[in-house]
Each structure stands twice: as C-alpha cells, then as structure tokens.
Amino acid sequence: MEIDRAVKESNNTRLQTKYNNAVYVIQRAFALYSFEEVAFSFNGGKDSTVLLHLLRAGYFLHNEKANSSSKNQINFKLNCPIRTIYFESPSAFPEINTFTYETASTYDLKMEIIRLDFKSGLEALLREKPIKAIFLGTRIGDPNAVGQEQFSPSSTGWPPFMRVNPILDWSYRDVWAFLLTCKVKYCSLYDEGYTSIGSIHDTVPNALLCINDLSKSKENFKPAYLLQDGRLERAGRAKKISPIPGVCVLRNGLNSADPHLSSTLTASIITVGDEILFGTVEDKLGSTLCRKLHSIGWVVTRISLVRNDIDSVAEEVAQQKSNTDMVFMFGGVGPLHSDVTLAGVAKAFGVRLAPDEEFEEHLNHLMGDEFTGDRNEMAMLPEGITELLHHEMLPVPLIKCQNVIILSATNVTELDEQWDCLLDLTTANEPLMLLAPFVSKHLRTTLSDVKSAQTLLKFRLEFPDLFIGCYRESRTGPLIISFVGKDATRIDMVVQRLYQEFHSSAFSEVKHALENFPSAAESSLCENTPVGKPSDKDETPLCGGRRSVGKRLLLFTCMGTFAHKEYQAFEEKVKRTVYLDNLSPQVAVPVLKMALGQFGNVVSAQFIPNYMDAMNIQQCALVEMETAKQARSVVTDTTMYPFMISGMPRPVRARPAELEMFSDRPVRPGRKITCRWVDSKDPDYEIAKKLKSLTRKHYAESLFLLKHQLEEEEKLAKQQNELLKSNYEKYDMLDSITADGTVKQVARHYYDVNITDD
C-alpha cells in the first residue's frame, strides 16, 4: 500500500507516530462496527484529504489481517468502497467542488451528496440508511473540537452516532507533513495561500503568506505548507473580538452608593504546592504579587494555598474564576507527578488537556534533545481556552486560560521579570487593565484598642472607598493604623478627622517597611542621584533608570534619610569585600572559601546572579574577608599571578567591591524612594525608551558573548583533558618499563650502564 510504505520509509518519526495512532483508531472502529455501519464525511479540505488516505491505509491493513490474499490487496490500492458523505453548499469554492468530485472518481468513493445543513442532512440520511459511526477530520483547534475524544458520541439534540476522530491530535504541521510525504493530490486553493477554507464569504488567503512584490498589481501568496506558525492557520477566517471585562466598584465591604468610590478590578492568587503547606518552603510570591497588583490599581480579594491534587486545584480555580476578574496561579507546569496546575485548570473549565503545537516548538527549542518521553506532556494545554502571551524577554510564553494567568516563576526575581513582561504586553486593556494605583498612609499610636475602636468603625462607615486596617508588630507594641485607597485627598481627610478626635501628638507617621527597603533594581537606580533642590523644570530629581509599564513609565526618584550608623557599617563591609569575576560555573561557595582561605579568614561569600542569562550561570561573586588588608592582598596577588579556581581553564579576575554591587545595600542617608507616573508626552519618556532599547541590546550582546565564551572554554577543557590523558599514558608507560626491568636491559645493552634498585 503506497501510503503505508511512504510513511514508514520517511525519516519523520513524529509523523510515523501520528500515523500509527490514527491507523490504530481506524482499525479499532472497523473492529467495533461492520463496514456497512460506518461512513466518511468528506469536504475536500486538507484535513479530510488526510483522513481519506488514512482510511485507505487503515482498511488495507485491516483486510490484510483478515485475508492474506494478494489479489484483494492489489485491488484495494485503487479502491476504497467506504460510504462517503459530501455536504454541498452554494457558498463553497468551485475549486473545492471540483477537487471533491475528482477525488471521489479516482478512488471509487460511494459518495452521497447532501444539499442541506449538516444537522438536517444527517437526520435525513440516518432515517434512510442507519449509520452507527462517522469518520470526521476534526483536529484540535477546530471550533467544534472542544471536549471531543477520538471516539465521542454525538452531542445532545443531534442524531445518535459515534464521532470517530483519528487525527484529533494532529497539528497543522503534521497534516502537511503527511500530504507532502505521501505525495497525494490536494485542493489547488492551498497553493494560492489559503490555509483554512470555509465559504466564499468568510475566507481569504492568509496574509502571513503574502509575497510583497510591488512590480505586480495582483497579490501573490506562498503555498499553505510554508506557514511557519500553525496556530495562525485560521488567520484567513473572520474573527470575533472578545469583549473587555467590566469594571467593578471599589468598596471596603459595606454596601454604599458613595460618589467617592473609585473603579477597580479584583484578583485572586492561587499557589499550588505541598511543600508550602508542609512548611518546607516559604511562599514569598503571593505577597510580592499583591504589591504589584496594587501598584496598577487592582484589589486582591483572596490568596489561597492548594495541595498538589487535581481536584483541589480545579475546585479552587472554578470558584475564583467566577468571583474575581483575574486569577493568578503559581505552581508546577513540568513533567513531574506533582505538576498538576494545568490539569486542574482544564478540569475547572470542563475541557481536556491537548497538545499545543506552538508551545511544543518553544519547549523543543528550549530543551533540545531532552524534550522527549514524559516531557512531551509539558506541551499539553487546556484545549480551546489557552492563549500564549509572547515577549522577547521570556524564553517560554506565559499561559492564559480565559481569566486565569499561570505564572511559572519560582522566586521573586523571576516574578519581577514576568510581571514586567506582562505589563509591557498590556494594550487595549488586554491582558491586564492599568488603573490608578493605590496610595496609603500608616500611623503609629499608643492608644488602646478600646479607645480607638469606635472612632475607626465610624470612619469606616463614612469613608467606604478606603480600606482602614489595624495591626501590631508585637503583642505589646504600638498599634499601627493603615489607610489605603486611590484618592490621596480622601486619605488626608480621614487622617485629619482622626487628629481631631484625638490629639495629633498621639500619632506618628511611619513608612511601610517595603517603602524603606527598595528592591535591588530600584535602589541601583538611585545610588548615583545627587541630593539637592529640584529644578524648576521638574518637581523631583530623576534618577537614571525607568521601568516600562505599557505606554507609561515609572520613574524612581530619590530623597529622604536613612540611619547613618548602619550605612557606615555597610561602607566598612564594602572595604573588606572582594569582587571576583570570570568564575567557572562549577565553582560553589565552599570552593570559594577554601580557595581564598590562603589569604586570610573568609567571613562570607555570595554569588551575584546573572540576570541576563536564563541558565543563571554564576560568573561573579562577592567575598567578604576579615580585614580590609586581606581583601587588598587577594586583589594584588590575583592580579600579579594567574589564579584558577576549579574546572575549566579560566583565570579568575579580582578587584575591590563597590557599593552598587550589593543587592541588599541600605539606602544612602538623605535618600528615599518615591515614584510618579510619566506620560508618553513627557520628555523623559523618550529617554527611558532609549534606555530600554540599550538594555535589550546589552542583553543580546551579553548572551552572545557568554555563549561564545562557554564554547571556547569547552574546547580548552577538552584539549586540557587530552593533554592530561596523554601525559598519564606516558607516565604509565615509564612505570611499566621500570617495573618489568626493560629500563635496566636497555641501559646495560646500549649504554653499558648498570642500574640498581638503590
């Protein structure tokens, strides 16, 4: 059989697997139903063309098992007597009709033409000639494929029959690999740029295949099999625009029609992991994401921890996706048994996990030869509801299932990166809507709970748009009252009312701990900013770094004070610290301490993560010595003499540490972090765009240099290993001829020298 032979002789193992699975489904159907009880729905498209030839191959192999007669086998190469249904439509392309009739004639198909809609036509057909199963060319990604399996009973309200879908898990790439490998004829429209064919009213050539040739008045298109991204197969079809979710009203939990209420959106956060519930790992991502959501004006209504169980995840997702505008999830999305996040999401939406061609390509590019076996399950995404959010700074796109976004971050640094990319992707309120950020004020007081309770309850009723909270840092410590809202004027108003109820001396304003201790990225932007009076042109002195947020930019500015003693102690620590660069990836902290222990006592050692590289290769470190003299000795000696630490032939470079190298450095006295929004019309916006462009350029250059460096080091390491092996063989040979007396014989015979064991 030419189809079976062509596939098996090809080098495409993926196609062979898909082919074998599809043929198995066909043979299984022929075993369950008699040949007269099955039919084939043919529409002339590429998918049904593939299915036609799979049926020919499947029926041939099925007959081969039942009848070994060579005569029957030869006849079947040309004949496929399966009952075929063709729904002819007046809005079909003429090329489709022509190809369908020619194909039926070529393969002697028993074609029955129906000129009704699909449902009515099936009802009339089944009344006349009962059919138990129909072969369909449905694939994942088709609008009607959601929830279907390879054997799926017809939907409620339809005539009863079994839908058999042999190519359900085939991708666009698989379809064309089959057609081109088997060299079978297909509709000519696919050579004219059509990638998915419907009616003449809603189908045009795929614009992604357009050939830009200004010398020709008519547009030309490349063939359909040259489409790079199979997910864009239906780009030539009419699309529906999804509605923007509504905006709810900010309330503090009380029913009120107060005109001061501000619009906001709600979010919930779900973290999946037994290790968090066991107390093995501390969850830092939830609180960090809360602050990020508040910075764009969203309210977090719930944070939940769920164990690694599909039903538990599905139950929580089902509840939260209905109660909040967006659900953010942290949890495993890999091949491990505990990675149940995606399966739970799929179950919550009532869909199944299905292979996603585009996501599989990303994983294959990222993992290479390791992307085999169970790892292929990582490309299984919730069917029909998944959208991939691409960004050039992310190695793998983020996963969004309707109003559920799944973040793969495992630490705060990775979350920062994914959040920045998510904001950078935000356009036209998708995937997030940027609202006015929350502002807050915190007051410390020695008033007792009894004295303050009634007043705070009254304020909560009068200011329903504000969140008024109370907490203590210790049982015997002062009470801290927090006011959070979107209108700074309203917050000032309630604070003044509080001062009127009690004396203002009973309160002192405090900064939230997270405001006093900025992140490494933020504080690094502020170190080089001089303290001084702002110019007339700007209200606050600007620092050199900006973070992109959609079409607005958040600029960090620096003012305020910090404890002098703590900062002085930090400066002394910097003098005792050495910055080591060009370290081998094999170097660990114990190795560093042992290597530098010859210069003095090593107090601590920590690596500086390489944020430019997804592999996080630790190339540099900060090592604190006991004294500044010992630190200077390390720098001097490693500069004068080559100094290698572990592994590849890579001389270590050392120099004195600088303030900006420490991610945990305190804010310099006289500074604090404040921020403001900058509109796209602001002059500083263009500067920030240039800085962002330079950052991306630097990232690409650093990645290229790192890759080149590693390649060169691997070559050197290989040469070094070969040299060591050669020397070992030489010494082994010398030991051998010395032990067996060969050296003595040679010396006595050629040089007349007697060598004794002494």
Side-chain angles (χ1 to χ4, degrees):
M1 201 313 168
E2 79 280 6
I3 299 298
D4 186 68
R5 183 170 58 253
V7 173
K8 291 182 178 179
E9 290 178 354
S10 71
N11 296 324
N12 191 335
T13 55
R14 175 190 173 98
L15 176 61
Q16 291 171 353
T17 301
K18 297 287 185 180
Y19 170 79
N20 291 333
N21 292 340
V23 168
Y24 172 78
V25 173
I26 292 171
Q27 290 179 312
R28 180 63 178 161
F30 287 146
L32 292 173
Y33 307 101
S34 66
F35 196 68
E36 293 74 21
E37 293 176 332
V38 297
F40 163 46
S41 178
F42 186 57
N43 61 11
K46 62 184 185 304
D47 297 338
S48 62
T49 302
V50 168
L51 181 55
L52 166 63
H53 295 287
L54 288 173
L55 285 169
R56 293 179 59 231
Y59 189 59
F60 169 79
L61 296 173
H62 176 72
N63 277 6
E64 189 178 41
K65 293 180 181 179
N67 188 352
S68 59
S69 172
S70 61
K71 181 179 178 180
N72 291 342
Q73 295 174 8
I74 294 173
N75 289 339
F76 187 73
K77 290 182 180 180
L78 298 177
N79 300 325
C80 183
I82 190 169
R83 184 179 180 184
T84 305
I85 308 169
Y86 177 51
F87 290 85
E88 189 177 80
S89 169
S91 60
F93 283 87
E95 293 86 347
I96 286 288
N97 286 330
T98 301
F99 173 73
T100 301
Y101 290 121
E102 289 178 353
T103 302
S105 176
T106 301
Y107 297 104
D108 290 336
L109 301 178
K110 298 179 180 179
M111 194 164 69
E112 301 184 24
I113 302 172
I114 300 176
R115 293 180 173 85
L116 299 172
D117 63 89
F118 195 77
K119 184 177 180 181
S120 301
L122 279 180
E123 290 175 343
L125 181 68
L126 294 181
R127 280 196 302 267
E128 181 182 352
K129 299 177 181 179
I131 295 175
K132 292 186 178 181
I134 300 178
F135 289 100
L136 301 171
T138 302
R139 286 194 297 112
I140 289 173
D142 292 346
N144 63 329
V146 177
Q148 288 201 47
E149 301 290 341
Q150 290 171 325
F151 287 87
S152 293
S154 56
S155 303
T156 304
W158 283 69
F161 67 94
M162 180 64 70
R163 293 175 290 188
V164 184
N165 304 309
I167 62 171
L168 187 64
D169 63 342
W170 285 43
S171 67
Y172 183 85
R173 178 181 62 179
D174 298 327
V175 167
W176 281 110
F178 179 87
L179 293 174
L180 298 177
T181 299
C182 297
K183 298 179 181 179
V184 295
K185 187 177 180 180
Y186 52 83
C187 181
S188 61
L189 288 175
Y190 292 110
D191 287 332
E192 299 174 11
Y194 290 85
T195 53
S196 178
I197 301 175
S199 73
I200 58 176
H201 304 298
D202 64 1
T203 308
V204 295
N206 196 319
L208 297 171
L209 295 174
C210 183
I211 301 173
N212 295 321
D213 189 351
L214 299 178
S215 62
K216 298 182 180 180
S217 58
K218 183 181 177 181
E219 287 185 328
N220 291 321
F221 295 85
K222 292 181 284 188
Y225 56 80
L226 294 180
L227 182 67
Q228 296 295 321
D229 187 353
R231 287 173 58 90
L232 301 175
E233 170 187 0
R234 301 178 67 85
R237 299 286 196 102
K239 294 184 178 181
K240 295 181 180 180
I241 302 175
S242 57
I244 298 174
V247 178
C248 67
V249 176
L250 172 64
R251 301 178 186 273
N252 61 11
L254 302 174
N255 294 325
S256 172
D258 194 293
H260 297 290
L261 293 178
S262 305
S263 63
T264 190
L265 292 169
T266 59
S268 57
I269 301 171
I270 302 174
T271 302
V272 183
D274 289 343
E275 61 280 357
I276 300 176
L277 294 173
F278 290 147
T280 308
V281 177
E282 181 182 358
D283 178 29
K284 297 181 180 179
L285 298 178
S287 58
T288 302
L289 184 57
C290 279
R291 294 192 293 272
K292 294 181 180 298
L293 287 166
H294 288 164
S295 71
I296 62 170
W298 285 56
V299 173
V300 178
T301 61
R302 181 183 176 92
I303 299 181
S304 55
L305 298 176
V306 183
R307 62 191 184 94
N308 294 329
D309 176 72
I310 295 177
D311 291 334
S312 300
V313 174
E315 182 180 355
E316 188 67 24
V317 173
Q319 179 182 356
Q320 297 310 316
K321 72 183 181 68
S322 302
N323 295 339
T324 56
D325 297 293
M326 191 69 70
V327 181
F328 293 88
M329 295 191 67
F330 297 104
V333 292
L336 299 176
H337 70 280
S338 58
D339 298 328
V340 298
T341 303
L342 290 173
V345 172
K347 187 169 184 178
F349 281 96
V351 300
R352 68 169 190 165
L353 289 176
D356 186 282
E357 179 184 4
E358 183 185 8
F359 198 58
E360 184 177 350
E361 291 290 348
H362 282 286
L363 295 176
N364 190 37
H365 177 73
L366 181 67
M367 302 176 66
D369 295 337
E370 294 184 3
F371 189 64
T372 57
D374 292 341
R375 290 179 174 83
N376 288 316
E377 296 181 4
M378 295 171 63
M380 303 284 282
L381 301 180
E383 179 188 17
I385 61 171
T386 300
E387 176 186 358
L388 297 181
L389 305 178
H390 300 270
H391 194 281
E392 58 187 6
M393 302 298 289
L394 295 175
V396 176
L398 299 177
I399 301 171
K400 180 175 181 288
C401 301
Q402 293 188 7
N403 67 330
V404 178
I405 294 179
I406 302 167
L407 301 170
S408 58
T410 58
N411 55 52
V412 175
T413 301
E414 293 175 357
L415 177 58
D416 289 341
E417 180 181 0
Q418 292 183 10
W419 179 257
D420 290 343
C421 293
L422 196 59
L423 293 183
D424 208 27
L425 291 170
T426 297
T427 56
N429 300 324
E430 290 289 343
L432 295 176
M433 181 183 292
L434 302 182
L435 306 173
F438 282 96
V439 292
S440 62
K441 184 166 288 190
H442 308 269
L443 301 178
R444 180 185 289 113
T445 180
T446 56
L447 294 174
S448 66
D449 295 357
V450 176
K451 286 185 178 181
S452 57
Q454 290 298 322
T455 301
L456 294 177
L457 177 60
K458 180 177 66 174
F459 288 165
R460 187 181 177 218
L461 295 171
E462 294 181 13
F463 297 87
D465 55 324
L466 300 181
F467 293 93
I468 302 176
C470 306
Y471 65 95
R472 280 189 168 87
E473 295 177 347
S474 66
R475 288 180 58 85
T476 58
L479 180 69
I480 298 177
I481 307 172
S482 61
F483 303 93
V484 181
K486 292 194 173 185
D487 190 341
T489 305
R490 296 276 290 171
I491 292 179
D492 291 338
M493 186 183 303
V494 71
V495 169
Q496 292 302 320
R497 290 284 304 278
L498 189 63
Y499 289 167
Q500 293 173 5
E501 294 285 338
F502 307 97
H503 197 275
S504 60
S505 60
F507 303 94
S508 61
E509 185 175 350
V510 295
K511 291 293 183 181
H512 195 275
L514 294 169
E515 297 174 4
N516 291 333
F517 294 93
S519 67
E522 294 169 349
S523 56
S524 65
L525 301 177
C526 303
E527 288 295 340
N528 297 324
T529 306
V531 179
K533 182 179 179 181
S535 63
D536 296 334
K537 183 179 179 181
D538 204 348
E539 295 180 357
T540 54
L542 302 179
C543 60
R546 296 144 174 93
R547 178 174 295 172
S548 171
V549 182
K551 291 191 175 181
R552 298 181 291 179
L553 296 167
L554 189 61
L555 277 76
F556 299 99
T557 60
C558 308
M559 298 182 296
T561 61
F562 195 81
H564 286 270
K565 282 188 177 181
E566 185 173 357
Y567 196 80
Q568 288 174 356
F570 168 69
E571 289 181 317
E572 292 300 320
K573 175 183 176 181
V574 173
K575 294 177 182 178
R576 300 190 302 269
T577 304
V578 179
Y579 170 79
L580 296 179
D581 191 13
N582 211 35
L583 290 170
S584 166
Q586 300 178 16
V587 175
V589 171
V591 176
L592 273 180
K593 290 184 176 181
M594 182 177 65
L596 297 187
Q598 58 187 298
F599 299 97
N601 295 326
V602 178
V603 177
S604 65
Q606 62 178 12
F607 287 103
I608 301 177
N610 180 9
Y611 296 106
M612 290 296 183
D613 181 45
M615 295 179 292
N616 195 26
I617 295 178
Q618 296 165 325
Q619 293 182 283
C620 46
L622 294 172
V623 181
E624 182 185 356
M625 306 300 292
E626 190 174 32
T627 64
K629 182 178 179 181
Q630 293 176 0
R632 289 193 297 269
S633 177
V634 173
V635 174
T636 302
D637 290 352
T638 54
T639 302
M640 294 178 61
Y641 310 103
F643 188 71
M644 295 170 59
I645 303 179
S646 181
M648 298 180 181
R650 179 188 293 190
V652 176
R653 297 177 299 204
R655 62 188 177 94
E658 299 178 9
L659 300 173
E660 291 78 9
M661 295 176 179
F662 294 80
S663 61
D664 58 347
R665 64 186 179 278
V667 179
R668 184 177 297 178
R671 306 264 173 88
K672 79 169 184 178
I673 302 296
T674 60
C675 54
R676 66 184 179 89
W677 291 106
V678 177
D679 191 79
S680 58
K681 298 179 181 179
D682 194 296
D684 290 298
Y685 182 79
E686 295 301 323
I687 298 174
K689 285 180 64 178
K690 292 180 180 179
L691 286 173
K692 181 178 179 181
S693 177
L694 287 173
T695 302
R696 290 177 175 173
K697 182 179 179 182
H698 179 221
Y699 164 76
E701 291 174 347
S702 299
L703 201 60
F704 173 79
L705 291 174
L706 176 61
K707 182 180 178 182
H708 179 70
Q709 178 183 351
L710 292 177
E711 290 174 353
E712 291 298 318
E713 288 179 354
E714 287 177 1
K715 292 179 182 178
L716 288 173
K718 186 177 180 181
Q719 294 174 5
Q720 188 181 63
N721 289 333
E722 291 175 353
L723 183 60
L724 290 173
K725 183 179 179 181
S726 175
N727 290 336
Y728 175 79
E729 292 175 351
K730 290 178 182 178
Y731 289 122
D732 187 52
M733 182 185 67
L734 289 174
D735 289 341
S736 177
I737 62 176
T738 301
D740 63 11
T742 304
V743 173
K744 294 180 181 180
Q745 295 177 12
V746 171
R748 185 169 54 253
H749 181 76
Y750 290 101
Y751 302 100
D752 197 22
V753 176
N754 290 323
I755 300 177
T756 63
D757 294 336
D758 297 335

